[in-house]
Amino acid sequence: MATKAFKSEKIDAIKSKIEKAQVAVVTEYKGYTVEEITKLRRELQKEGGDYMVTKNTLTKVAIKGTDYEAMADLMKGPIAIAFGFDDQVSPAKVVSNFIKTSKKGEILGAVLDGKLLSADEAKALANLPSKEELYAKMLGSINSPATGITLGINAVMASLTRAMAAVRDQKEQAAA
C-alpha cells in the first residue's frame, strides 16, 4: 500500500512535468515490457520529452486546475503520458512510430494548448513536420526569390557576353 508521502511525491512529479510541458500525449501501454518502455522513454528524452507510466487517480489530482485538466476524460485503464517540453510534434511522432513498430498500445488522445485532442487528432499531430523541417521549408521559401533573381542576372550576363562575342567574331570575319 502506497503511503501518503509516496502519493504526494508522485503527484508533485506529475505536476512538475505538466508545468514544463507544451503537449501531453496519453497512451495505452498494455503489453509493453519494461525494456520497451525504457526504450520509448530514451527516444522521447532525445527529442526533449519524457514518458511516464502513472496511476489515473494521482494524475487526476495533479492536473486539477491546469490546462491539462481536459486530459482526465482519457484516463481509463492502464495509461502512460508522453510529455513534450521542447516541441509539440515530436512526442506524438515518437510515440506513433513506436506503436507502429511494436504493434502494441495505442494513442488515446492528447492535450495541446489546453485543448483536448481526440486519438485521430493526436495521430494527425504526429504526421506534422518537425520544427527543423518547418524551418528548412521556411528558409527555402525565403531563399527562393533571391535564387531566382541571381539566376536571372546570371542569364542576362551570359547572354550579353555571348552577344558581345558574336559581334567580335563578326567584326573579325569582316576585317579578314
Side-chain angles (χ1 to χ4, degrees), residues 148-168:
I149 290 170
T150 304
L151 292 175
I153 290 171
N154 285 341
V156 168
M157 297 300 263
S159 295
L160 180 62
T161 304
R162 282 193 296 275
M164 288 172 53
V167 169
R168 181 195 66 213

Side-chain angles (χ1 to χ4, degrees), residues 60-89:
K60 286 178 183 177
V61 170
I63 62 175
K64 196 164 210 73
T66 69
D67 289 345
Y68 294 90
E69 194 167 5
M71 183 165 66
D73 297 339
L74 302 173
M75 298 191 183
K76 295 172 180 78
I79 63 143
I81 304 169
F83 295 101
F85 305 119
D86 297 337
D87 186 6
Q88 291 129 342
V89 176

